[in-house]
Amino acid sequence: MSENEIQLKAIAALTALRGGVGADYVSDLLGEVIPTHFLVPDTADPAEVGLAVLEQLSEPLSALVNGFVLAFETVADAYDRTEPEVPVDAILQALALDIAREAD
């Protein structure tokens, strides 16, 4: 699956969640970006096997995160252009404080 296709999956997942689609569907959609097979050297020790798997997971997961970030930036920019009373950065700061308080 290409980086572009994975980014589209991230955007589709966000769109589905906002549209009220079930979490199971979204989970399945995002699961499609995770490889189901990994190539590892047959003579590798456990550390080399782990590194090979990690390298093969990092590209799709990075593309997925990039898709979420791209979607967020697009929505946040559109929101901020409406000249809201509370800008996106203030909303994010409040969310971070709430999460930090919950962790205590």
Side-chain angles (χ1 to χ4, degrees):
M1 185 174 295
S2 73
E3 183 173 344
N4 187 299
E5 291 170 320
I6 293 171
Q7 289 177 343
L8 289 172
K9 293 278 185 185
I11 294 167
L14 292 171
T15 303
L17 284 173
R18 292 292 297 169
V21 173
D24 288 343
Y25 173 79
V26 173
S27 180
D28 290 344
L29 184 67
L30 294 177
E32 292 174 10
V33 306
I34 304 300
T36 56
H37 296 81
F38 298 93
L39 300 175
V40 296
D42 59 355
T43 58
D45 63 29
E48 292 171 324
V49 169
L51 184 58
V53 170
L54 182 61
E55 288 174 352
Q56 293 170 62
L57 277 173
S58 67
E59 283 187 39
L61 292 178
S62 178
L64 190 62
V65 169
N66 287 338
F68 286 130
V69 169
L70 175 63
F72 171 77
E73 287 177 340
T74 302
V75 171
D77 288 344
Y79 174 78
D80 279 342
R81 282 194 298 274
T82 67
E83 299 181 16
E85 289 185 32
V86 182
V88 171
D89 58 340
I91 294 169
L92 292 173
Q93 289 170 355
L95 175 61
L97 288 172
D98 289 344
I99 291 171
R101 284 186 198 109
E102 290 175 10
D104 293 335

